[in-house]
Amino acid sequence: MTGPHFGYGTNGLTDLRLDDALGLVADLGYDGVGLTLDHMHLDPMAPDLAARTARVARRLQALGLGVTVETGARYVLDPRRKHGPSLLDADPEARSARAQLLCRAVQVATDLGAHAVHCFSGITPEGTSDDTAWARLTESLAPVLETATAAGVPLAVEPEPGHLLSCLADFHHLRQRLGDPEMLGLTLDIGHCQCLEPASPADCVRDAAPWLRHVQIEDMRRGVHEHLPFGDGEIDFPPVLEALTDVGYQGLTVVELPRHSHAGPQLAAESIHFLRSAAAAASGDPHAQEPRHTTPGTSGTSTPESVAGAAR
Protein backbone atom coordinates (compact mmCIF):
# COMPACT_ATOMS: atom_id res chain seq x y z
CA MET A 1 0.00 0.00 0.00
CA THR A 2 1.44 3.40 -0.94
CA GLY A 3 2.03 6.09 1.65
CA PRO A 4 0.55 9.60 1.77
CA HIS A 5 0.67 11.89 -1.27
CA PHE A 6 2.07 15.19 -0.03
CA GLY A 7 1.06 18.62 -1.32
CA TYR A 8 1.67 22.23 -0.37
CA GLY A 9 -1.01 24.88 -0.01
CA THR A 10 -0.75 27.88 -2.31
CA ASN A 11 -2.15 30.02 0.52
CA GLY A 12 1.33 29.63 2.04
CA LEU A 13 2.98 30.86 -1.18
CA THR A 14 1.02 34.04 -1.83
CA ASP A 15 4.21 36.10 -2.30
CA LEU A 16 4.91 34.03 -5.43
CA ARG A 17 3.16 34.14 -8.78
CA LEU A 18 1.03 31.03 -9.19
CA ASP A 19 3.16 29.71 -12.03
CA ASP A 20 6.29 30.10 -9.91
CA ALA A 21 4.59 28.53 -6.88
CA LEU A 22 3.56 25.47 -8.88
CA GLY A 23 7.06 25.13 -10.29
CA LEU A 24 8.58 25.33 -6.82
CA VAL A 25 6.23 22.68 -5.42
CA ALA A 26 6.99 20.35 -8.31
CA ASP A 27 10.75 20.90 -8.07
CA LEU A 28 10.68 20.01 -4.37
CA GLY A 29 9.04 16.69 -5.17
CA TYR A 30 5.53 17.26 -3.86
CA ASP A 31 2.72 15.25 -5.42
CA GLY A 32 0.29 18.14 -5.68
CA VAL A 33 -1.09 21.42 -4.38
CA GLY A 34 -4.00 22.70 -2.39
CA LEU A 35 -4.98 25.56 -4.69
CA THR A 36 -6.75 28.38 -2.86
CA LEU A 37 -8.82 30.46 -5.29
CA ASP A 38 -7.82 34.03 -4.46
CA HIS A 39 -7.13 37.36 -6.11
CA MET A 40 -3.44 36.53 -6.62
CA HIS A 41 -3.91 32.85 -7.56
CA LEU A 42 -6.63 31.99 -10.10
CA ASP A 43 -9.06 34.71 -9.01
CA PRO A 44 -12.55 33.17 -9.15
CA MET A 45 -14.20 36.58 -9.49
CA ALA A 46 -12.15 37.96 -12.39
CA PRO A 47 -13.11 37.68 -16.09
CA ASP A 48 -12.14 34.76 -18.32
CA LEU A 49 -12.08 32.24 -15.50
CA ALA A 50 -12.51 29.26 -17.82
CA ALA A 51 -9.57 30.27 -20.02
CA ARG A 52 -7.34 30.99 -17.03
CA THR A 53 -8.33 27.69 -15.44
CA ALA A 54 -7.44 25.85 -18.63
CA ARG A 55 -3.95 27.37 -18.54
CA VAL A 56 -3.48 26.29 -14.93
CA ALA A 57 -4.72 22.80 -15.80
CA ARG A 58 -2.10 22.51 -18.54
CA ARG A 59 0.60 23.71 -16.14
CA LEU A 60 -0.43 21.19 -13.48
CA GLN A 61 -0.45 18.40 -16.02
CA ALA A 62 2.96 19.36 -17.37
CA LEU A 63 4.40 19.36 -13.84
CA GLY A 64 2.68 16.12 -12.87
CA LEU A 65 0.87 17.72 -9.92
CA GLY A 66 -2.46 16.66 -8.45
CA VAL A 67 -4.75 19.34 -7.02
CA THR A 68 -7.47 19.98 -4.50
CA VAL A 69 -9.40 23.25 -4.79
CA GLU A 70 -9.55 25.22 -1.53
CA THR A 71 -11.92 28.10 -0.81
CA GLY A 72 -10.46 29.69 2.31
CA ALA A 73 -9.40 33.00 0.74
CA ARG A 74 -9.89 35.71 3.34
CA TYR A 75 -11.23 38.63 1.29
CA VAL A 76 -12.14 37.24 -2.12
CA LEU A 77 -15.82 38.21 -1.79
CA ASP A 78 -15.74 41.13 0.64
CA PRO A 79 -12.63 43.36 0.96
CA ARG A 80 -13.66 44.45 4.46
CA ARG A 81 -14.85 41.22 6.13
CA LYS A 82 -12.55 38.24 6.60
CA HIS A 83 -14.23 35.17 5.05
CA GLY A 84 -17.34 37.26 4.48
CA PRO A 85 -20.04 36.72 3.57
CA SER A 86 -20.39 33.21 4.95
CA LEU A 87 -22.94 30.44 4.54
CA LEU A 88 -24.38 31.61 7.88
CA ASP A 89 -24.88 35.28 7.02
CA ALA A 90 -28.20 36.82 8.08
CA ASP A 91 -28.72 38.22 4.56
CA PRO A 92 -30.01 35.51 2.16
CA GLU A 93 -28.34 37.21 -0.79
CA ALA A 94 -25.02 37.21 1.06
CA ARG A 95 -25.35 33.51 1.85
CA SER A 96 -26.19 32.91 -1.79
CA ALA A 97 -23.03 34.76 -2.89
CA ARG A 98 -20.91 32.34 -0.85
CA ALA A 99 -22.81 29.34 -2.18
CA GLN A 100 -22.34 30.61 -5.75
CA LEU A 101 -18.61 30.94 -5.11
CA LEU A 102 -18.50 27.31 -3.98
CA CYS A 103 -20.42 26.23 -7.08
CA ARG A 104 -17.90 28.14 -9.15
CA ALA A 105 -15.11 26.35 -7.28
CA VAL A 106 -16.70 23.01 -8.21
CA GLN A 107 -16.58 24.02 -11.87
CA VAL A 108 -12.93 25.04 -11.52
CA ALA A 109 -12.21 21.71 -9.81
CA THR A 110 -13.90 19.87 -12.68
CA ASP A 111 -11.80 21.71 -15.23
CA LEU A 112 -8.60 21.08 -13.28
CA GLY A 113 -9.34 17.42 -12.60
CA ALA A 114 -9.19 18.13 -8.86
CA HIS A 115 -9.75 15.49 -6.19
CA ALA A 116 -12.21 17.58 -4.15
CA VAL A 117 -13.43 21.07 -3.25
CA HIS A 118 -12.74 22.21 0.31
CA CYS A 119 -15.03 24.56 2.24
CA PHE A 120 -16.08 25.45 5.79
CA SER A 121 -19.17 26.73 7.58
CA GLY A 122 -18.09 30.13 8.84
CA ILE A 123 -18.52 31.73 12.27
CA THR A 124 -22.02 31.98 13.71
CA PRO A 125 -23.10 35.65 13.51
CA GLU A 126 -23.65 37.42 16.81
CA GLY A 127 -27.15 36.99 18.14
CA THR A 128 -27.87 33.95 15.95
CA SER A 129 -29.09 30.78 17.62
CA ASP A 130 -27.46 27.44 16.85
CA ASP A 131 -30.72 26.13 15.39
CA THR A 132 -30.92 29.07 12.99
CA ALA A 133 -27.25 28.77 12.05
CA TRP A 134 -27.55 25.04 11.28
CA ALA A 135 -30.68 25.67 9.23
CA ARG A 136 -28.87 28.33 7.19
CA LEU A 137 -25.87 26.07 6.65
CA THR A 138 -28.00 23.16 5.51
CA GLU A 139 -30.02 25.33 3.15
CA SER A 140 -26.94 27.11 1.76
CA LEU A 141 -25.07 23.89 1.01
CA ALA A 142 -27.96 22.22 -0.82
CA PRO A 143 -27.30 23.86 -4.23
CA VAL A 144 -23.56 23.37 -3.82
CA LEU A 145 -24.05 19.65 -3.23
CA GLU A 146 -26.32 19.47 -6.27
CA THR A 147 -23.55 21.03 -8.36
CA ALA A 148 -20.91 18.75 -6.85
CA THR A 149 -23.06 15.68 -7.45
CA ALA A 150 -23.67 16.61 -11.08
CA ALA A 151 -19.92 17.18 -11.55
CA GLY A 152 -18.85 14.08 -9.63
CA VAL A 153 -16.52 16.17 -7.44
CA PRO A 154 -16.67 15.61 -3.65
CA LEU A 155 -17.35 18.60 -1.42
CA ALA A 156 -14.98 18.29 1.54
CA VAL A 157 -16.21 20.29 4.54
CA GLU A 158 -13.57 21.26 7.09
CA PRO A 159 -14.22 21.50 10.84
CA GLU A 160 -12.65 24.82 11.80
CA PRO A 161 -12.02 25.95 15.41
CA GLY A 162 -14.34 28.82 16.30
CA HIS A 163 -16.78 28.07 13.47
CA LEU A 164 -20.28 26.63 13.74
CA LEU A 165 -18.92 23.37 12.33
CA SER A 166 -15.81 23.11 14.49
CA CYS A 167 -15.19 19.41 15.12
CA LEU A 168 -15.80 15.91 13.78
CA ALA A 169 -19.02 15.56 15.77
CA ASP A 170 -20.33 18.68 14.03
CA PHE A 171 -19.47 17.21 10.64
CA HIS A 172 -21.54 14.14 11.43
CA HIS A 173 -24.40 16.38 12.58
CA LEU A 174 -24.33 18.17 9.22
CA ARG A 175 -24.10 14.89 7.34
CA GLN A 176 -27.21 13.61 9.09
CA ARG A 177 -29.12 16.85 8.53
CA LEU A 178 -28.40 16.62 4.80
CA GLY A 179 -29.37 12.95 4.55
CA ASP A 180 -25.81 11.62 4.20
CA PRO A 181 -25.28 12.64 0.55
CA GLU A 182 -22.64 10.69 -1.33
CA MET A 183 -20.71 13.78 -2.42
CA LEU A 184 -20.44 15.26 1.09
CA GLY A 185 -17.01 14.44 2.41
CA LEU A 186 -14.58 15.71 5.01
CA THR A 187 -11.45 17.85 5.05
CA LEU A 188 -9.47 16.75 8.11
CA ASP A 189 -6.91 19.23 9.39
CA ILE A 190 -4.40 17.32 11.52
CA GLY A 191 -3.47 20.40 13.54
CA HIS A 192 -7.11 21.05 14.38
CA CYS A 193 -7.34 17.51 15.73
CA GLN A 194 -4.46 18.28 18.09
CA CYS A 195 -6.03 21.61 18.99
CA LEU A 196 -9.48 20.49 20.12
CA GLU A 197 -10.55 16.91 19.32
CA PRO A 198 -10.79 14.50 22.29
CA ALA A 199 -9.07 11.74 20.28
CA SER A 200 -5.46 11.81 19.11
CA PRO A 201 -4.77 13.00 15.54
CA ALA A 202 -4.01 9.42 14.43
CA ASP A 203 -7.27 8.17 15.95
CA CYS A 204 -9.13 11.03 14.27
CA VAL A 205 -7.80 9.80 10.93
CA ARG A 206 -9.06 6.30 11.61
CA ASP A 207 -12.44 7.52 12.87
CA ALA A 208 -12.91 9.82 9.85
CA ALA A 209 -11.67 7.37 7.21
CA PRO A 210 -15.01 6.62 5.49
CA TRP A 211 -15.61 10.32 4.76
CA LEU A 212 -12.02 11.48 4.21
CA ARG A 213 -11.65 13.41 0.94
CA HIS A 214 -8.92 15.93 1.76
CA VAL A 215 -6.25 16.27 4.47
CA GLN A 216 -4.40 19.36 5.65
CA ILE A 217 -1.34 19.01 7.84
CA GLU A 218 0.83 21.24 10.01
CA ASP A 219 2.00 21.31 13.62
CA MET A 220 -0.13 22.73 16.45
CA ARG A 221 -0.46 22.83 20.22
CA ARG A 222 -3.37 21.72 22.35
CA GLY A 223 -5.94 24.48 22.83
CA VAL A 224 -4.19 27.02 20.60
CA HIS A 225 -5.36 27.51 17.01
CA GLU A 226 -2.04 28.52 15.47
CA HIS A 227 -0.70 26.76 12.36
CA LEU A 228 2.97 26.00 13.06
CA PRO A 229 5.87 24.65 10.99
CA PHE A 230 6.66 21.01 11.69
CA GLY A 231 8.56 20.53 14.92
CA ASP A 232 7.29 23.76 16.50
CA GLY A 233 4.19 22.14 18.02
CA GLU A 234 3.23 18.97 19.87
CA ILE A 235 2.12 16.47 17.22
CA ASP A 236 3.79 13.06 16.83
CA PHE A 237 3.58 12.70 13.03
CA PRO A 238 4.69 9.12 12.22
CA PRO A 239 1.53 7.62 13.80
CA VAL A 240 -0.61 10.09 11.81
CA LEU A 241 1.03 9.15 8.51
CA GLU A 242 0.81 5.47 9.43
CA ALA A 243 -2.92 5.90 10.03
CA LEU A 244 -3.41 7.61 6.67
CA THR A 245 -1.66 4.68 4.99
CA ASP A 246 -3.57 2.08 6.98
CA VAL A 247 -6.99 3.50 6.08
CA GLY A 248 -6.05 3.61 2.39
CA TYR A 249 -6.45 7.37 1.96
CA GLN A 250 -5.25 8.25 -1.55
CA GLY A 251 -5.99 11.99 -1.73
CA LEU A 252 -3.53 14.78 -1.08
CA THR A 253 -2.12 15.57 2.36
CA VAL A 254 -1.45 19.29 2.02
CA VAL A 255 0.84 21.42 4.18
CA GLU A 256 -1.30 24.27 5.54
CA LEU A 257 0.78 27.31 6.60
CA PRO A 258 -1.30 30.29 5.43
CA ARG A 259 0.44 32.81 7.67
CA HIS A 260 3.97 31.93 6.59
CA SER A 261 4.04 33.06 2.98
CA HIS A 262 6.97 35.39 3.70
CA ALA A 263 9.09 32.24 4.20
CA GLY A 264 7.12 30.02 1.83
CA PRO A 265 9.91 28.62 -0.37
CA GLN A 266 12.11 27.79 2.61
CA LEU A 267 9.27 26.23 4.61
CA ALA A 268 8.08 24.24 1.61
CA ALA A 269 11.55 22.71 1.33
CA GLU A 270 11.80 22.03 5.07
CA SER A 271 8.29 20.60 5.21
CA ILE A 272 8.78 17.96 2.51
CA HIS A 273 12.02 16.85 4.18
CA PHE A 274 10.23 16.54 7.52
CA LEU A 275 7.26 14.67 6.06
CA ARG A 276 9.46 12.23 4.15
CA SER A 277 11.41 11.49 7.33
CA ALA A 278 8.18 11.01 9.27
CA ALA A 279 6.76 8.75 6.55
CA ALA A 280 9.92 6.65 6.57
CA ALA A 281 9.69 6.33 10.34
CA ALA A 282 6.03 5.36 10.03
CA SER A 283 6.92 2.62 7.56
CA GLY A 284 9.49 1.14 9.94
CA ASP A 285 12.52 2.14 7.86
CA PRO A 286 15.50 1.41 10.16
CA HIS A 287 17.49 4.16 8.45
CA ALA A 288 14.83 6.82 8.94
CA GLN A 289 16.00 10.00 10.61
CA GLU A 290 13.96 11.45 13.45
CA PRO A 291 11.77 14.13 11.83
CA ARG A 292 12.63 17.54 13.18
CA HIS A 293 12.44 21.22 12.31
CA THR A 294 16.02 21.98 11.30
CA THR A 295 16.07 25.76 11.46
CA PRO A 296 14.19 27.14 14.49
CA GLY A 297 13.18 30.75 14.23
CA THR A 298 11.82 30.67 10.67
CA SER A 299 8.21 30.31 11.76
CA GLY A 300 7.59 34.05 11.75
CA THR A 301 5.93 36.21 14.39
CA SER A 302 2.31 35.11 14.20
CA THR A 303 0.40 35.60 17.43
CA PRO A 304 -1.11 32.53 19.13
CA GLU A 305 -4.89 32.48 19.19
CA SER A 306 -7.29 30.66 21.46
CA VAL A 307 -9.40 27.79 20.22
CA ALA A 308 -12.18 30.29 19.60
CA GLY A 309 -9.98 32.25 17.21
CA ALA A 310 -10.08 31.82 13.44
CA ALA A 311 -6.39 31.55 12.58
CA ARG A 312 -6.60 31.82 8.79
Side-chain angles (χ1 to χ4, degrees), residues 9-31:
T10 62
N11 60 0
L13 296 169
T14 56
D15 290 86
L16 278 67
R17 298 177 183 88
L18 180 56
D19 196 55
D20 292 336
L22 297 179
L24 170 74
V25 169
D27 287 346
L28 289 172
Y30 284 94
D31 300 299

Side-chain angles (χ1 to χ4, degrees), residues 6-7 30 217 230 237 241 253-255 270-280 291:
F6 297 123
Y30 284 94
I217 193 165
F230 298 113
F237 284 97
L241 300 182
T253 299
V254 172
V255 179
E270 293 173 359
S271 295
I272 192 65
H273 173 75
F274 182 98
L275 289 170
R276 285 171 175 160
S277 296

Side-chain angles (χ1 to χ4, degrees), residues 72-85:
R74 296 184 181 97
Y75 297 101
V76 71
L77 286 178
D78 187 332
R80 293 174 176 81
R81 284 195 299 160
K82 181 182 176 182
H83 299 314

Side-chain angles (χ1 to χ4, degrees), residues 68 115-120 145 154-160 165-172 174-175 181-190 192-193 197 203-216 244 249 251-252:
T68 300
H115 303 293
V117 171
H118 148 278
C119 68
F120 44 64
L145 280 166
L155 187 67
V157 180
E158 179 190 6
E160 181 80 22
L165 198 158
S166 65
C167 61
L168 286 172
D170 291 336
F171 167 74
H172 291 303
L174 174 66
R175 185 173 59 83
E182 181 181 358
M183 283 298 160
L184 181 66
L186 174 71
T187 293
L188 187 69
D189 187 299
I190 300 303
H192 295 173
C193 297
E197 294 287 351
D203 285 342
C204 286
V205 169
R206 299 181 194 280
D207 293 343
W211 302 277
L212 210 54
R213 301 295 179 266
H214 182 45
V215 173
Q216 297 170 341
L244 286 168
Y249 172 67
L252 289 174

